Amino acid sequence: RKDYFDMQEIIKVKNLSKVFNKPIRGNGLKGMIKTLFSNKKIKFTAVNNISFTINQGEMVAYIGANGAGKSTTIKMMTGILTPTSGEVLINGMHPYDSKARKKVLQNIGVVFGQRTQLWWDLPLQETFSLLKDIYNLDDNEYLKTKTELVKLLNIEEIIQIPVRQLSLGQRMRCEIAASLIHNPSILFLDEPTIGLDAVSKEIVRDFIKKLNKEKKTTVILTTHDMSDIEALAKRIILI
């Protein structure tokens, strides 16, 4: 389709690889002590020479078996890890480059389904306030975005409740809201509906579709849930 090829390339992954050096661990207490003083290591290749591009406004599912390297790829794309070889470009910048990192992070949002960015003992409202200061957001822009996210994700009644008291479905909606408070143009979702009930999944999916349609937010989704892929993705990258 012409409109697909006219879209701007926003993410480029070229010959990307990540190799970890893991120490060889011995058995038992003696083996563990020997490991501390040993230089013997084995190389583990988590991602092996992958290349792809993603255009602005796309919703792409990045899928594969457990251990295929999906989360490691996402961590390199978001600057958490540095590649062993190859490169990632987000809007023409390396996310793991210290000079470009701040600019890249201002334009991406990340949700890890099994990790949290929320302050566990504080209400979501406090996390919002902290993120406002971190991203140096304008007061009016912040209030407008927060109001919109709270309404669309149906979290009005829980915004003042400590995060540790929320259900998994409620917390995941809060995670997504926190990742979007600075209006990023790219959203990375790593297993965003894992463990959610049917109602919570539907709320999350409907919101992501609305976000993509109205704001043209680029969405990269990793999941093992085929219904997520069917509901959201227009294209699949299989690793």
Side-chain angles (χ1 to χ4, degrees):
R1 283 172 43 189
K2 186 177 184 297
D3 60 345
Y4 173 85
F5 291 105
D6 283 347
M7 287 190 290
Q8 179 186 352
E9 181 182 279
I10 197 169
I11 298 173
K12 183 175 183 179
V13 173
K14 184 178 180 182
N15 302 126
L16 188 68
S17 296
K18 182 63 180 179
V19 178
F20 294 100
N21 292 313
K22 294 189 173 183
I24 300 175
R25 300 189 181 278
N27 295 323
L29 180 59
K30 289 184 178 179
M32 291 175 65
I33 294 173
K34 286 182 179 179
T35 300
L36 296 174
F37 301 97
S38 173
N39 292 322
K40 293 182 179 180
K41 295 182 179 180
I42 57 172
K43 289 186 176 181
F44 171 72
T45 302
V47 174
N48 187 19
N49 193 34
I50 61 172
S51 299
F52 58 82
T53 59
I54 295 175
N55 292 329
Q56 184 177 9
E58 276 198 279
M59 285 208 291
V60 178
Y62 185 49
I63 64 173
N66 287 329
K70 302 184 299 298
S71 293
T72 302
T73 305
I74 296 297
K75 288 175 182 177
M76 288 188 282
M77 293 170 74
T78 54
I80 296 172
L81 293 176
T82 301
T84 303
S85 61
E87 65 176 353
V88 176
L89 291 171
I90 306 290
N91 286 320
M93 297 176 286
H94 296 124
Y96 38 82
D97 184 335
S98 59
K99 294 180 179 179
R101 183 173 174 79
K102 186 175 181 179
K103 289 184 178 179
V104 173
L105 292 179
Q106 287 175 339
N107 288 293
I108 66 173
V110 187
V111 176
F112 289 106
Q114 300 185 59
R115 298 287 186 273
T116 184
Q117 62 181 316
L118 307 177
W119 288 76
W120 195 246
D121 292 313
L122 298 179
L124 176 63
Q125 175 61 51
E126 298 299 326
T127 296
F128 277 165
S129 297
L130 289 167
L131 291 172
K132 175 184 179 296
D133 292 336
I134 289 172
Y135 288 106
N136 194 27
L137 300 177
D138 173 78
D139 288 345
N140 292 331
E141 179 187 358
Y142 163 73
L143 288 172
K144 180 181 177 182
T145 303
K146 185 185 77 169
T147 301
E148 182 180 9
L149 289 171
V150 167
K151 181 179 179 181
L152 290 174
L153 286 165
N154 193 23
I155 54 176
E156 298 101 322
E157 296 180 0
I158 61 175
I159 193 171
Q160 297 294 349
I161 298 175
V163 172
R164 57 183 167 77
Q165 295 180 15
L166 302 179
S167 70
L168 179 59
Q170 291 171 329
R171 183 171 63 78
M172 188 52 60
R173 280 180 272 153
C174 293
E175 294 278 2
I176 293 173
S179 71
L180 293 169
I181 196 67
H182 58 297
N183 271 322
S185 59
I186 305 171
L187 179 61
F188 293 92
L189 299 171
D190 189 16
E191 298 281 3
T193 63
I194 188 169
L196 301 190
D197 59 47
V199 174
S200 295
K201 282 186 179 183
E202 198 63 30
I203 292 173
V204 169
R205 289 170 185 161
D206 287 346
F207 173 76
I208 294 169
K209 285 189 283 188
K210 186 178 181 67
L211 182 74
N212 174 258
K213 182 179 179 180
E214 295 184 356
K215 295 192 174 183
K216 306 301 180 186
T217 303
T218 305
V219 178
I220 298 90
L221 169 72
T222 70
T223 181
H224 291 289
D225 190 328
M226 296 305 294
S227 56
D228 280 349
I229 297 168
E230 184 178 2
L232 297 173
K234 306 299 182 186
R235 181 161 69 99
I236 288 173
I237 299 174
L238 178 63
I239 182 172

